[in-house]
Amino acid sequence: MADDAITPHVASYDYLMVNAENAQNSSRERRIKKSTMPSEFRLVSRSDWITVGVLCFVNLINYMDRFTIAGMLDNIKNDFKIRNDESGLLQTAFILSYMVFAPLFGYLGDRYNRKIIMSSGVFLWCLTTFIGSYMKSFGWFLMFRALVGIGEASYSTIAPTIISDLFVKDMRSKMLAIFYFAIPVGSGLGYIAGGETARVTGVWQWGLRITPALGIIAIILLLVLVRDPIRGEREGGVHLTSTAWSSDIKELLKNSSFMYSTAGFTCVAFVTGALAWWAPTFLQLAFALHPNSSNVDPDDVSFKFGLIGMASGLIGVPLGSFIAQKLRLHWAHADPLICAVGLLISVPLLFFATVTANTNAALCYTLIFFGQLSLNLNWSIVADILLYVVIPTRRSTAEAFQILIAHAFGDAGSPYLIGLLSEGLKTVLLPSLAVARTMKPPPIDPSINTLVEFRSLQYALFMTMFVEIIGSLFFFMTALHIQKDKAIVDLTIAGENTSDSTYICNEETEIEAQEDQQKP
C-alpha cells in the first residue's frame, strides 16, 4: 500500500525528466545546426565576443567604484571625523538604494531596450561619484554615495540576462565565469586605486575621480558595440511573452531552487560585504600590534589586500565554473553542492586568518587568499543557477529580486552591523584591557586604544563565520530541488507546458486518475 501511495510521484518525476531531456534535444537541433564543429568556441560570433567583453569591462569598473572608498577608509574617517558605525553607514546607504531600485530596473529590463537602460544607469553613477568627491560635509557625501547605488542597480540587474540570451549550457557557464571574475578583480582594483591614489596625491577625493572617466568610455562602448538579443534567443524560447509583474513574483516565490539559492547568496553577500569593507582597517590595526611591526607597513595593506582579492578572483571564479561543468555531467545537483562546500571550506581559513593577523602577517595573508578563493567559487555558479531555473522572460525580475533580498539581508547591513557591534564591544573591552595593562582606570595609553580597536573589530568579524555556515545549509537545500526546477524551465521553453508552477501537480493528478480507472 505504501508503494502504491508514492508511485504517482515517482512516475510524474520520471516523466518530467524524460520530457525535459527530449525538449532540450529538440530545441538544440532547432537552434544550432553547427554543433558538430570541434570547438564550441567557434560557434560564438565576433559580435557576441565583443558584447561579453564590453559587459565585463563595465562590471569591472562597477565594482572598482564600489570599493574605492574601502581602500581609503581611514582617510575619509579622519577627514569627516566619523566613527566605525558612521563609516560603515557609507556602504549601507549605497547598498540600500542599490537594492531598492533593483526591482524597478528588473521590470524595465524584461520589457524594454536593455542597452539604453544600462547606459543611463552607468551615466548616473559616474555623475554622482564625481560630484560626491567634492562634498565637504559627511551628510552630503553620504547622500551622493546613496545615489551611486541607483545607477549601479541598473547594470547589475540587466547585464547577466543579456549573456543568458546569447549563450546556453556550458558556454553560458564559461561566459558567466568571465563576467563574474570582474567582481573580485574589480574590487581589488578599487582598493588599489583608492589607497594608492590617496597616498600619492595626498588627497583621497582623487581616488573617486578615476572610475567616472572610465565610465564615460563604458557608455560609448555599450551604445555602439553591445547587441541586445531577443529574450530566450538561443534557447528556442522566442515564442515566450512577458507576463504581469505580479505573476512573475508569485512564480519566483514558488521556485524552491531560486529561493534557497537566493538565501544562500544572501549569506555570501553578508560575509563579502563585511570583509570587503572592514578587512583593510582590521589588518592595519593588527599589523600595528605586530611584534615585528618594523617589518610590516600598515600603509600598504590596501594594496596587498587588493592584489589578494584580484588573485583569488582570477583563480576562484573560473575554477568554480570549471568544477561545476565537470561534475554536473555526473550529478545534476552538483552546482549548489559546490557552493555549499566552498563556504564550509572558507570558514576555518578566515577564522584562523582573523586570529593570526596580529602575530604573523604572511600566514594571515595566505589564509585570506585561500578563504576568499573558496568564497569566489560560487559567484558564477549562483548566477548560472538563477538563469537555468527561471524562464527567459522573467530573468531580469529574478536578478532584481535576488539583488533586493541578498543586499537587504546581506551586505546592506553587514558593514554597519559590524561597525556598530565593534563600537559596543569597545565599552566592554576598554576597562578590562586598561586594568589588565596598567592596573589603573582610564585614561590609558595609545597602545591600549589600538588594542581595543583591534579586539573589538576582531570579535565582531567572527559573526561572518557563523553566517557562512548558515549559507552552506541553504545551498544544501537548493540541491534537493534543482533538478526538478530546471526540468520545468526546459519544458516551458520548449512550449510543452503552459503553467510552469502547476505542471507537476497536473501530471500527478493525471497519473493518479489513470491508475484509478485501471483498478477493478
Side-chain angles (χ1 to χ4, degrees):
M1 190 61 123
D3 292 339
D4 293 339
I6 64 172
T7 299
H9 300 275
V10 175
S12 175
Y13 184 75
D14 291 341
Y15 177 87
L16 179 64
M17 298 310 300
V18 169
N19 277 274
E21 184 176 356
N22 292 336
Q24 286 178 308
N25 292 335
S26 61
S27 178
R28 185 185 304 111
E29 291 173 0
R30 288 197 304 269
R31 69 176 178 269
I32 299 178
K33 297 298 183 182
K34 300 179 181 180
S35 59
T36 56
M37 295 183 72
S39 174
E40 60 183 345
F41 284 100
R42 296 181 184 178
L43 299 174
V44 181
S45 66
R46 182 180 180 182
S47 64
D48 290 349
W49 276 116
I50 292 174
T51 295
V52 172
V54 173
L55 293 178
C56 289
F57 171 69
V58 182
N59 204 33
L60 187 77
I61 62 174
N62 186 0
Y63 277 84
M64 186 176 167
D65 174 82
R66 190 176 301 188
F67 289 100
T68 299
I69 286 184
M72 51 190 185
L73 190 58
D74 272 352
N75 304 77
I76 296 174
K77 288 173 63 178
N78 294 333
D79 194 5
F80 288 121
K81 296 179 175 57
I82 56 177
R83 305 185 308 170
N84 283 350
D85 51 351
E86 292 172 305
S87 57
L89 192 59
L90 283 171
Q91 187 72 346
T92 297
F94 165 84
I95 296 297
L96 283 173
S97 64
Y98 177 74
M99 71 179 192
V100 167
F101 282 87
L104 171 62
F105 291 114
Y107 174 85
L108 297 174
D110 279 333
R111 292 161 176 82
Y112 301 105
N113 189 300
R114 291 176 284 192
K115 287 173 54 175
I116 301 300
I117 298 171
M118 289 190 298
S119 300
S120 301
V122 173
F123 176 76
L124 179 60
W125 70 250
C126 288
L127 181 65
T128 51
T129 296
F130 183 76
I131 295 176
S133 68
Y134 288 94
M135 296 299 103
K136 300 300 181 181
S137 69
F138 178 71
W140 281 105
F141 185 68
L142 181 66
M143 187 192 76
F144 276 95
R145 286 309 296 173
L147 293 176
V148 172
I150 300 175
E152 291 197 15
S154 66
Y155 182 80
S156 299
T157 303
I158 296 172
T161 67
I162 293 181
I163 294 177
S164 74
D165 292 331
L166 292 175
F167 307 98
V168 293
K169 296 190 176 296
D170 283 351
M171 199 61 201
R172 176 193 287 167
S173 299
K174 292 180 174 66
M175 292 302 176
L176 287 173
I178 296 174
F179 179 78
Y180 280 104
F181 96 88
I183 293 178
V185 174
S187 302
L189 285 174
Y191 292 119
I192 295 172
E196 290 301 298
T197 303
R199 184 180 63 83
V200 172
T201 63
V203 181
W204 62 265
Q205 285 87 348
W206 279 106
L208 292 176
R209 296 164 189 167
I210 298 174
T211 51
L214 297 174
I216 299 301
I217 299 174
I219 293 172
I220 297 173
L221 295 177
L222 282 171
L223 293 174
V224 175
L225 299 179
V226 169
R227 183 170 78 87
D228 187 5
I230 300 172
R231 276 85 173 165
E233 178 179 299
R234 297 295 173 88
E235 296 170 283
V238 294
H239 62 281
L240 298 174
T241 57
S242 299
T243 56
W245 189 76
S246 58
S247 298
D248 292 343
I249 297 299
K250 289 178 182 178
E251 293 299 333
L252 291 174
L253 291 172
K254 297 175 185 177
N255 191 324
S256 299
S257 297
F258 172 74
M259 293 303 296
Y260 282 125
S261 62
T262 296
F265 183 65
T266 300
C267 295
V268 174
F270 183 98
V271 174
T272 55
L275 294 179
W277 193 254
W278 288 114
T281 301
F282 170 74
L283 293 176
Q284 287 176 343
L285 293 169
F287 296 161
L289 297 170
H290 202 279
N292 298 318
S293 57
S294 58
N295 299 326
V296 181
D297 183 8
D299 294 331
D300 69 352
V301 167
S302 294
F303 179 78
K304 290 182 178 179
F305 187 76
L307 288 179
I308 289 174
M310 292 172 59
S312 64
L314 283 169
I315 299 172
V317 175
L319 178 62
S321 178
F322 174 79
I323 295 173
Q325 292 170 49
K326 296 299 181 183
L327 293 186
R328 70 167 66 121
L329 295 175
H330 307 285
W331 299 287
H333 48 272
D335 287 0
L337 292 180
I338 295 170
C339 295
V341 173
L343 284 176
L344 290 179
I345 293 175
S346 177
V347 171
L349 293 171
L350 293 180
F351 173 78
F352 286 110
T354 306
V355 170
T356 59
N358 63 323
T359 57
N360 193 322
L363 178 60
C364 176
Y365 276 133
T366 302
L367 292 171
I368 289 175
F369 168 77
F370 286 106
Q372 287 193 327
L373 188 148
S374 301
L375 273 175
N376 288 330
L377 292 177
N378 67 68
W379 279 107
S380 64
I381 298 177
V382 171
D384 211 1
I385 290 173
L386 182 148
L387 295 174
Y388 65 63
V389 300
V390 177
I391 63 174
T393 55
R394 199 171 286 152
R395 285 171 181 165
S396 286
T397 298
E399 291 280 357
F401 188 84
Q402 190 172 83
I403 287 174
L404 175 63
I405 298 299
H407 293 303
F409 300 100
D411 55 348
S414 62
Y416 178 71
L417 182 60
I418 296 299
L420 186 65
L421 184 58
S422 69
E423 289 293 333
L425 288 170
K426 287 179 186 178
T427 61
V428 178
L429 294 172
L430 188 60
S432 60
L433 287 174
V435 172
R437 281 284 189 92
T438 66
M439 299 303 291
K440 297 178 182 179
I444 52 181
D445 61 83
S447 64
I448 294 293
N449 282 324
T450 303
L451 182 61
V452 169
E453 287 275 352
F454 166 74
R455 289 298 182 197
S456 62
L457 198 50
Q458 181 187 52
Y459 296 156
L461 286 172
F462 285 153
M463 177 188 291
T464 60
M465 289 71 173
F466 292 102
V467 175
E468 282 188 289
I469 295 174
I470 296 172
S472 69
L473 295 178
F474 282 124
F475 282 120
F476 281 125
M477 293 296 295
T478 305
L480 300 177
H481 301 274
I482 196 163
Q483 192 172 4
K484 176 196 68 178
D485 291 333
K486 184 179 184 298
I488 292 173
V489 171
D490 292 335
L491 288 171
T492 304
I493 291 175
E496 296 195 14
N497 62 313
T498 58
S499 178
D500 47 330
S501 65
T502 60
Y503 182 76
I504 295 178
C505 296
N506 291 339
E507 288 299 323
E508 290 180 350
T509 302
E510 291 177 8
I511 293 173
E512 289 173 355
Q514 293 173 3
E515 291 190 347
D516 289 340
Q517 292 177 357
Q518 295 173 0
K519 291 180 181 179

